[in-house]
Amino acid sequence: MNSSQDPNSCFKKSNVARGGGLHRVLCMQGGDDDSSYAKNSEAPASAISLCRPLLLTTIESMKIFFRNEEEAESLRVADLGCATGYNTLATVDMVVEALRQRYINQCGFEPEFEAFFSDLPSNDFNSLFRSLSNIGILSDNKRKQYYAAGVPGSFYGRLFPRRKLHVAVSLSALHWLSQIPDGVLDKRSAAWNKGRVWIDGAKKEVVEAYAKQSEKDLEDFLKCRKEEIVQGGMLFLLMGGRPASQQPDNQLSDPDSRAKHPFTTSLDQAWQDLINEGMIDEETRDGFNIPAYMRSTEEVERAIRRCGGFEIERMEYSRIVEHSQEKQKQWMIDPISFGKAKANLLRATLGPIIEAHLGPYLSHQLFIRFQNRVSSDISLLHKTCFYGVIVACAIRK
């Protein structure tokens, strides 16, 4: 069936990924069903656990801003690119509690805290706010651990007044770009990414266009945080990445990860299935690209030093496994459930932007074909997918 004949299809020929359109649809899948980000964020949770010791160590060495209760203002913490679910609340709770204990132990009092949860307006803030209503009460049963607020907007622009924040964290968000480079979607350009939906393994011109967009985005992000964070405040970053030795056309760490990653082979095959079945044309597929770029440690360090105003305390690259060994064993027994799980993961991360491009009917058909592709490829169950992550901690000078 051609997409134009289906009443449920709302494919838009104008690419939402261009210019300012992406911010209206780029978000993790909201809600709390099986395809929600809240139910499919095991890998980000593992990454947060990995960086927890470094985050807590840096908090212990931070500047003390207020020495007594009389002069104390509130300490302000921001989670940039917060999404929804347990991970964002657990991270802010951890930061606030570590700071609270430090002030109690070293200064004899606890300041008040403000926590700002920021993401694009398309984020499911309703689910987040419902979760916030369950913030724990302190033992004296008098007040919450922090006063919370939502801040909608792109972290590639200013979000707060000057010298407002004491701690800013961005976890598993900065690898998402502000837009797809125009040339990647233009068939007249050498950077046209024909026949693919992502950068990994793409030709030189595509890779260069993505890298240039990534460089600009990270520069914009850092310039804004330089204005917003107080002297002595902390910027803590966790993002998808790659080691310094790895070229940008090789976004993933090894062949097994490339085969099993939800953005790569099986997804390209699912798009081709829709073309082969006459449900979409090649132009529709070529008009979609995933707005993600895994930076190298060298690229991140260079951007921070070029921005100025920050002292890098620590930066490291690590790899985390996509899922637990227990799940791997379960899926070996039931490959169909493996396909469903991978499709849910894909929906959780790309569902909103794919639906904005294809409409609800065709996006559903794409995910079904992706699920079928994964379920039928038994070799994937014998591979291990690793996600590379970069952890960077910097202090505002």
Side-chain angles (χ1 to χ4, degrees), residues 9-239:
S9 175
C10 62
F11 168 63
K12 303 173 180 62
K13 288 290 182 182
S14 60
N15 292 298
V16 297
R18 290 185 188 272
L22 187 61
H23 77 276
R24 297 195 299 271
V25 295
L26 178 59
C27 61
M28 301 299 98
Q29 187 71 43
D32 58 2
D33 60 18
D34 288 344
S35 62
S36 66
Y37 182 73
K39 294 285 182 66
N40 292 276
S41 51
E42 181 178 351
S46 297
I48 292 171
S49 295
L50 179 73
C51 73
R52 176 187 173 95
L54 177 57
L55 176 57
L56 294 178
T57 298
T58 308
I59 288 174
E60 281 299 312
S61 63
M62 273 180 64
K63 172 184 176 181
I64 290 288
F65 294 98
F66 313 115
R67 287 293 174 179
N68 57 69
E69 194 165 10
E70 288 69 31
E71 70 177 25
E73 301 175 5
S74 59
L75 285 172
R76 295 176 288 273
V77 178
D79 184 344
L80 307 176
C82 63
T84 61
Y86 171 79
N87 288 344
T88 186
L89 299 182
T91 300
V92 170
D93 287 349
M94 177 173 63
V95 171
V96 169
E97 181 60 19
L99 286 169
R100 190 174 75 90
Q101 288 296 331
R102 187 172 177 215
Y103 273 81
I104 290 173
N105 295 338
Q106 297 184 20
C107 304
F109 76 98
E110 61 177 275
E112 293 186 324
F113 291 91
E114 296 176 72
F116 300 100
F117 296 88
S118 181
D119 212 319
L120 292 171
S122 49
N123 185 55
D124 185 2
F125 279 101
N126 285 335
S127 291
L128 177 63
F129 293 154
R130 283 193 293 269
S131 301
L132 284 170
S133 66
N134 298 321
I135 293 175
I137 303 298
L138 296 181
S139 57
D140 61 9
N141 203 34
K142 291 182 179 178
R143 60 184 178 183
K144 296 178 179 179
Q145 286 183 297
Y146 51 80
Y147 297 95
V151 181
S154 169
F155 55 36
Y156 293 122
R158 286 285 301 277
L159 293 166
F160 303 94
R162 286 184 176 85
R163 296 177 293 279
K164 175 74 172 179
L165 302 176
H166 297 92
V167 177
V169 300
S170 180
L171 307 179
S172 299
L174 262 172
H175 47 267
W176 295 104
L177 301 177
S178 66
Q179 68 176 76
I180 296 294
D182 288 339
V184 171
L185 301 173
D186 184 355
K187 65 176 62 178
R188 300 165 299 180
S189 169
W192 183 33
N193 198 21
K194 178 175 173 56
R196 313 174 60 86
V197 297
W198 196 37
I199 177 182
D200 187 73
K203 61 183 180 180
K204 175 185 174 183
E205 291 84 358
V206 176
V207 174
E208 289 176 346
Y210 264 87
K212 185 177 180 180
Q213 184 66 51
S214 167
E215 183 178 41
K216 178 184 182 303
D217 283 349
L218 186 54
E219 180 179 317
D220 289 343
F221 174 90
L222 291 169
K223 284 181 177 178
C224 293
R225 306 297 84 79
K226 181 179 175 180
E227 294 292 320
E228 296 166 352
I229 297 175
V230 301
Q231 184 179 11
M234 179 179 70
L235 176 63
F236 193 89
L237 307 175
L238 168 69
M239 70 187 84

Side-chain angles (χ1 to χ4, degrees), residues 125-359:
F125 279 101
N126 285 335
S127 291
L128 177 63
F129 293 154
R130 283 193 293 269
S131 301
L132 284 170
S133 66
N134 298 321
I135 293 175
I137 303 298
L138 296 181
S139 57
D140 61 9
N141 203 34
K142 291 182 179 178
R143 60 184 178 183
K144 296 178 179 179
Q145 286 183 297
Y146 51 80
Y147 297 95
V151 181
S154 169
F155 55 36
Y156 293 122
R158 286 285 301 277
L159 293 166
F160 303 94
R162 286 184 176 85
R163 296 177 293 279
K164 175 74 172 179
L165 302 176
H166 297 92
V167 177
V169 300
S170 180
L171 307 179
S172 299
L174 262 172
H175 47 267
W176 295 104
L177 301 177
S178 66
Q179 68 176 76
I180 296 294
D182 288 339
V184 171
L185 301 173
D186 184 355
K187 65 176 62 178
R188 300 165 299 180
S189 169
W192 183 33
N193 198 21
K194 178 175 173 56
R196 313 174 60 86
V197 297
W198 196 37
I199 177 182
D200 187 73
K203 61 183 180 180
K204 175 185 174 183
E205 291 84 358
V206 176
V207 174
E208 289 176 346
Y210 264 87
K212 185 177 180 180
Q213 184 66 51
S214 167
E215 183 178 41
K216 178 184 182 303
D217 283 349
L218 186 54
E219 180 179 317
D220 289 343
F221 174 90
L222 291 169
K223 284 181 177 178
C224 293
R225 306 297 84 79
K226 181 179 175 180
E227 294 292 320
E228 296 166 352
I229 297 175
V230 301
Q231 184 179 11
M234 179 179 70
L235 176 63
F236 193 89
L237 307 175
L238 168 69
M239 70 187 84
R242 64 184 204 279
S245 60
Q246 200 162 294
Q247 294 301 307
D249 61 329
N250 186 11
Q251 290 278 287
L252 303 173
S253 57
D254 58 82
D256 280 5
S257 295
R258 180 168 296 104
K260 202 173 182 182
H261 195 285
F263 291 0
T264 53
T265 307
S266 297
L267 181 57
D268 281 334
Q269 291 171 341
W271 281 94
Q272 189 62 46
D273 287 339
L274 292 187
I275 293 172
N276 293 343
E277 295 170 37
M279 303 188 78
I280 64 172
D281 54 25
E282 289 189 0
E283 182 182 355
T284 301
R285 188 264 317 278
D286 295 339
F288 179 85
N289 270 254
I290 299 170
Y293 179 86
M294 309 303 165
R295 300 178 179 92
S296 69
T297 50
E298 185 179 55
E299 287 171 324
V300 176
E301 181 176 0
R302 183 171 62 242
I304 293 175
R305 298 200 185 284
R306 185 185 297 133
C307 174
F310 289 102
E311 183 70 32
I312 299 175
E313 292 284 300
R314 183 83 173 267
M315 183 181 300
E316 57 188 41
Y317 168 83
S318 300
R319 295 199 312 167
I320 58 171
V321 68
E322 179 186 27
H323 49 69
S324 66
Q325 291 184 345
E326 289 75 17
K327 284 189 175 181
Q328 182 91 349
K329 292 176 182 177
Q330 293 172 11
W331 292 332
M332 294 285 282
I333 299 171
D334 183 8
I336 299 298
S337 67
F338 172 61
K340 290 180 179 178
K342 293 289 283 189
N344 283 335
L345 175 62
L346 189 67
R347 285 180 185 271
T349 52
L350 296 181
I353 61 172
I354 289 179
E355 183 168 324
H357 185 72
L358 289 178

